[in-house]
Amino acid sequence: MSRISIRDFTSARVSLGRAGNGMPTEPLLALRLAHARARDAVHTPLDVRSLRGELSEAGFQSIAVRSDVQNRGEYLRRPDRGRRLNASDRETLVAQAGDFEIVPVIADGLSATAIHRHAVPLLALAMREWYAAHYRVAPVIVCEGARVAIGDDIGASLGSKLSVVLIGERPGLSSPDSLGIYLTWQPRRGRNDAERNCISNVRPEGLSYEAAAALLMFLCRESLRRGLTGTSLKADLQQLTSGSGAAESGVPALR
């Protein structure tokens, strides 16, 4: 009979063994590598040109903008400046405002690695659902030096009812490439986190693209129908992805 280890059920660093007063060499080197990957994810710049090329190949129009930070160091020291557009880009978006229901935003956040790996394939699934529902979708906004709340400034500038921000999440020692999605109804400066919905840990080893896109579509549909996001709008992911319950009711239950 084979021995069952807790490590068979988690990627967390547990039951690593000991070598004297420390860890064995192999897990120690793995920890240092994970730490280096997390640091790289934070400091690696977003390749805007490459990302916009991928979006174009996928058939999506995009606009590149920047937050009010001047460099990566300032981004890390001044989160407030990463939450707003620079004045020039804000004027550019205001001039292109329209009757949009959804504005998709791709933001580097704390992991450009996550954006380059996951943003376009996830957005492609979401766009397919939005177009099928005949939503009025703004061009994809690609933003450098961005925090989550940049979607408020972008959404308000374009006059969109709903902002959907795909952003690189803070790297962990087991997930340097985790993508987050934030939805905000009637985005504008001053919105707080309780007024948003979040879908986190989107990556092949976490929440799959398909599950994330299904949950995102549900939240978008309910947000536009009910005129809200945040703590009053919740979805049961298990019911949404289970098949039978969702198929019978058409939408997952709110809780």
Side-chain angles (χ1 to χ4, degrees), residues 1-13:
M1 182 177 179
S2 60
R3 181 180 179 182
I4 298 176
S5 170
I6 191 174
R7 295 191 65 191
D8 296 331
F9 302 96
T10 178
S11 60
R13 287 177 169 80

Side-chain angles (χ1 to χ4, degrees), residues 43-251:
H43 292 284
T44 298
L46 183 68
D47 188 340
V48 174
R49 182 176 180 180
S50 173
L51 181 58
R52 294 188 69 193
E54 290 182 51
L55 289 168
S56 179
E57 289 180 4
F60 307 135
Q61 180 185 359
S62 66
I63 300 172
V65 298
R66 290 189 60 90
S67 71
D68 204 26
V69 301
Q70 301 302 311
N71 52 58
R72 198 63 178 173
E74 185 178 55
Y75 171 82
L76 296 173
R77 294 190 303 269
R78 294 291 305 270
D80 57 314
R81 292 184 178 175
R83 298 185 183 114
R84 60 176 185 257
L85 287 168
N86 69 73
S88 176
D89 285 339
R90 190 170 191 276
E91 291 178 4
T92 297
L93 294 187
V94 169
Q96 299 187 52
D99 184 25
F100 300 118
E101 290 175 300
I102 298 174
V103 54
V105 180
I106 297 180
D108 50 3
L110 286 165
S111 177
T113 302
I115 293 300
H116 286 299
R117 290 180 181 175
H118 311 309
V120 174
L122 173 62
L123 186 61
L125 293 176
M127 285 287 201
R128 185 175 65 189
E129 298 291 334
W130 293 339
Y131 290 157
H134 304 290
Y135 291 149
R136 298 183 298 277
V137 183
V140 181
I141 307 301
V142 177
C143 187
E144 291 182 87
R147 301 280 177 171
V148 169
I150 199 74
D152 299 343
D153 215 357
I154 292 172
S157 299
L158 285 170
S160 178
K161 292 181 179 179
L162 183 66
S163 67
V164 176
V165 179
L166 280 61
I167 191 167
E169 295 183 313
R170 179 179 290 107
L173 293 179
S174 60
S175 56
D177 64 338
S178 180
L179 181 73
I181 310 170
Y182 291 83
L183 296 83
T184 308
W185 170 255
Q186 291 187 341
R188 61 179 183 272
R189 287 186 182 183
R191 286 296 198 190
N192 60 53
D193 288 343
E195 298 172 296
R196 312 186 200 282
N197 287 92
C198 174
I199 304 170
S200 64
N201 196 32
V202 181
R203 59 193 182 102
E205 300 82 5
L207 186 66
S208 70
Y209 300 153
E210 293 77 13
L215 179 53
L216 175 59
M217 182 57 189
F218 167 76
L219 291 172
C220 288
R221 181 170 60 242
E222 290 300 296
S223 175
L224 292 167
R225 182 177 70 86
R226 301 173 60 190
L228 54 82
T229 50
T231 56
S232 298
L233 180 62
K234 296 294 181 182
D236 187 333
L237 179 60
Q238 184 175 4
Q239 180 180 356
L240 177 61
T241 57
S242 65
S244 59
E248 292 173 2
S249 63
V251 294

